[in-house]
Amino acid sequence: MDTPISGSVYVAPSLSTALDALHEGGSAAAPFAGGTWIMRAPIRHEQLKSRYVAIGKIPELHTIKVDADAVEIGAAVTHAALATALAELGEFDVLTAAAGHSANPAIRTMATIGGNLATTAFAAADCVPALLCLDAEVEIASRDDRERTSLEQFLTMRSTLAPGRLLHRIIVPRRDRKTVHARLPLRRAGDYPTAIVSLAMILDDAGLVETARIAVGSVEPVARRWGRLETALIGHPLNAAKAAEAAAELADEFAGRDAADVPGWYRVRVLPGLVRRAVAALGS
Amino acid sequence: MGLSMTINGDHLTSTADPVTPLVDVLREDFHLTGAKPVCREGFCGACMVLIDGNPTPSCLIPAALAQGCDIRTVEGLAANGRLNPIQAALEACDAVQCGMCFPGMVVSLTHLLTTRPEATRDDIRAALTGNICRCTGYERIIEAALLALATP
Ligand SMILES: Cc1cc2nc3c(=O)[nH]c(=O)nc-3n(C[C@H](O)[C@H](O)[C@H](O)COP(=O)(O)OP(=O)(O)OC[C@H]3O[C@@H](n4cnc5c(N)ncnc54)[C@H](O)[C@@H]3O)c2cc1C
Ligand code: FES
Ligand code: FES
């Protein structure tokens, strides 16, 4: 029996007890959300932490609040719950698809949005590019304070997040935009995406692109916005073939990551096709 | 201090480490060997059990978090020794090959049948994206699910 040995799992009933336990545990402790990444540590030849603070039963971390200006998502909301809650809000199609089509049905009822954003070593996370193109912000909580920062900034600091802190919620501004999530798994049945293009566009009255947000996931170790492609599309009508042409010209800025499933060059090679698919899905 | 769990209606205790995957506790401590640890990654579904009614890969649930839940394994799905509708349909359709994937298939499809009586072929395929059959017996498994759905 290949059993990981570890110390304890504390099931926190509230945010404050979780933050106290994380504070007291220091660097020996970590949040345990859906566990779909943590429980696979032995396969990655990684050590488990000696203390886990389970945050999945904290009601406050399960809420999704839809206001006129923003949607706030608790960090322990599962992929399945998120996809159901946002299904009727067209401006969030990108996030509904990211949460509703990742992994497989059982995993979607376990894996949380907070775990998806916080997992430093997981390049293929679907919700990261989806939330990048929606200009999401995150709130980090510790026993003594709350800190709000852009998701982009969080991605640069998540690996060194001080002990005792956790991702509390995600805040996504509401805008009249068209959005889409295009992902390419090797097989549709539950594989990781080899590359992801998440897109959010605002069109002006003449149907020209006024603002463009394009995020690329799974290609490099950390998802990021594709600024040069965004600039190339602004001021033009949505056109899938032209967008794919522009993407093909600019794709060499990506250094694809090699992994067991596909080599790095392949991830870059499929980007123009994913851009074409994404723009076409917006009705161009 | 032991871990106490409710499995197929029985109250059982284990002295396993709290982060031990539930599948290992089921098999090693309680000798419920239906759930199989095949990939230990959430990909194959061979270890699927129902936790509070939801299909859950038991390789990804630490034993400590299974406490207080209603856990049903494949061994608990044939009430009073009678096969449930999907088990009967799988047998009628001669769907079993090596049988490795079957406990997980039965668990996922038992859930589908009880929660989505109107499920289509596509819904069945989608529900089984986390259950891999290495013998590639999918067509007969789907036929069995359709038969069970159509049987009053
Ligand atoms: C078979 C399989 C296929 C998958 N396929 C995909 C896929 O296609 N796309 C995809 O996006 N995902 C996929 N995943 C899911 C992926 O594991 C999760 O999306 C996610 O990375 C982990 O979420 P979790 O809640 O399970 O986190 P956990 O495993 O609980 O935690 C992961 C890490 O995040 C930390 N953490 C968790 N919550 C917080 C928080 N609130 N604040 C700070 N740190 C926190 C933990 O300490 C740990 O370091 C797949 C998983 C499996 C098992
Ligand atoms: S062993 Fe659990 S999903 Fe494969
Ligand atoms: S019958 Fe052999 S793995 Fe499915």
Side-chain angles (χ1 to χ4, degrees):
Chain A
M1 174 158 78
D2 185 17
T3 302
I5 299 302
S6 122
S8 64
V9 180
Y10 166 65
V11 183
S14 65
L15 184 59
S16 60
T17 52
L19 292 170
D20 283 346
L22 286 168
H23 182 87
E24 282 154 23
S27 59
F32 188 108
T36 66
W37 185 262
I38 291 173
M39 291 300 283
R40 293 185 285 159
I43 287 179
R44 296 188 300 269
H45 306 289
E46 285 170 17
Q47 284 286 324
L48 286 165
K49 292 274 185 184
S50 59
R51 278 179 85 170
Y52 282 108
V53 178
I55 59 172
K57 295 230 175 351
I58 301 174
E60 192 179 342
L61 296 185
H62 277 284
T63 54
I64 301 176
K65 196 160 138 244
V66 181
D67 283 340
D69 301 335
V71 169
E72 291 179 9
I73 306 161
V77 168
T78 64
H79 285 56
L82 185 60
T84 305
L86 298 181
E88 303 299 322
L89 300 174
E91 63 185 283
F92 294 108
D93 281 351
V94 63
L95 189 53
T96 305
H101 294 286
S102 65
N104 62 51
I107 301 298
R108 293 197 291 269
T109 65
M110 304 168 77
T112 67
I113 179 94
N116 203 248
L117 303 191
T119 307
T120 310
F122 185 36
D126 275 281
C127 295
V128 177
L131 285 164
L132 277 176
C133 85
L134 293 175
D135 293 325
E137 295 189 313
V138 299
E139 193 177 277
I140 300 160
S142 68
R143 194 151 78 161
D144 304 318
D145 77 337
R146 302 281 185 275
E147 183 190 336
R148 192 155 152 173
T149 180
S150 68
L151 173 59
E152 239 159 344
Q153 179 63 25
F154 175 71
L155 294 178
T156 67
M157 60 192 268
R158 62 184 173 174
S159 62
T160 53
L161 208 59
R165 304 171 84 75
L166 63 69
L167 191 56
H168 176 193
R169 54 194 179 138
I170 297 110
I171 304 107
V172 193
R174 298 196 62 180
R175 298 208 176 108
D176 188 12
R177 59 197 156 194
K178 291 167 155 237
T179 72
V180 62
H181 190 68
R183 69 200 291 273
L184 182 74
L186 291 182
R187 300 171 317 138
R188 258 192 302 161
D191 277 355
Y192 289 147
T194 58
I196 306 170
V197 171
S198 300
L199 212 138
M201 300 288 193
I202 298 178
L203 304 183
D204 66 15
D205 293 340
L208 305 180
V209 175
E210 194 174 277
T211 64
R213 297 279 185 272
I214 303 170
V216 172
S218 199
V219 174
E220 294 179 336
V222 183
R224 68 171 167 96
R225 292 256 303 272
W226 194 348
R228 287 202 297 160
L229 184 60
E230 292 173 356
T231 308
L233 300 192
I234 287 172
H236 299 284
L238 279 179
N239 179 303
K242 291 223 164 83
E245 259 172 50
E249 273 170 33
L250 299 171
D252 63 2
E253 72 175 76
F254 288 90
R257 68 187 169 94
D258 287 321
D261 51 351
V262 294
W265 64 262
Y266 179 85
R267 299 181 199 278
V268 178
R269 185 79 61 85
V270 299
L271 280 177
L274 281 176
V275 169
R276 182 190 305 108
R277 196 188 290 181
V279 175
L282 292 182
S284 62
Chain B
M1 202 177 66
L3 301 167
S4 60
M5 294 179 213
T6 308
I7 301 172
N8 302 327
D10 296 331
H11 299 291
L12 303 171
T13 54
S14 161
T15 54
D17 181 274
V19 188
T20 309
L22 175 63
V23 64
D24 293 324
V25 177
L26 292 175
R27 295 174 60 86
E28 310 285 331
D29 289 359
F30 305 144
H31 309 296
L32 294 165
T33 54
K36 314 263 183 274
V38 175
C39 70
R40 292 187 177 275
E41 282 222 78
F43 277 105
C44 76
C47 67
M48 205 74 87
V49 298
L50 293 173
I51 297 194
D52 291 336
N54 296 315
T56 307
S58 56
C59 63
L60 297 182
I61 288 277
L65 295 187
Q67 294 191 102
C69 302
D70 177 28
I71 302 163
R72 300 260 151 198
T73 68
V74 71
E75 289 88 347
L77 294 183
N80 304 319
R82 284 189 47 201
L83 297 183
N84 78 11
I86 188 63
Q87 289 173 313
L90 287 162
E91 188 185 34
C93 292
D94 206 8
V96 186
Q97 297 188 58
C98 80
M100 178 65 111
C101 67
F102 261 76
M105 290 286 178
V106 168
V107 167
S108 293
L109 290 173
T110 297
H111 176 259
L112 181 78
L113 252 65
T114 46
T115 55
R116 309 271 309 273
E118 77 303 343
T120 62
R121 175 176 279 270
D122 280 351
D123 295 333
I124 299 166
R125 287 170 58 105
L128 292 181
T129 45
N131 291 85
I132 291 175
C133 175
R134 283 166 182 74
C135 302
T136 66
Y138 298 106
E139 273 310 310
R140 286 188 188 179
I141 293 169
I142 291 170
E143 291 307 323
L146 287 167
L147 172 68
L149 285 163
T151 308

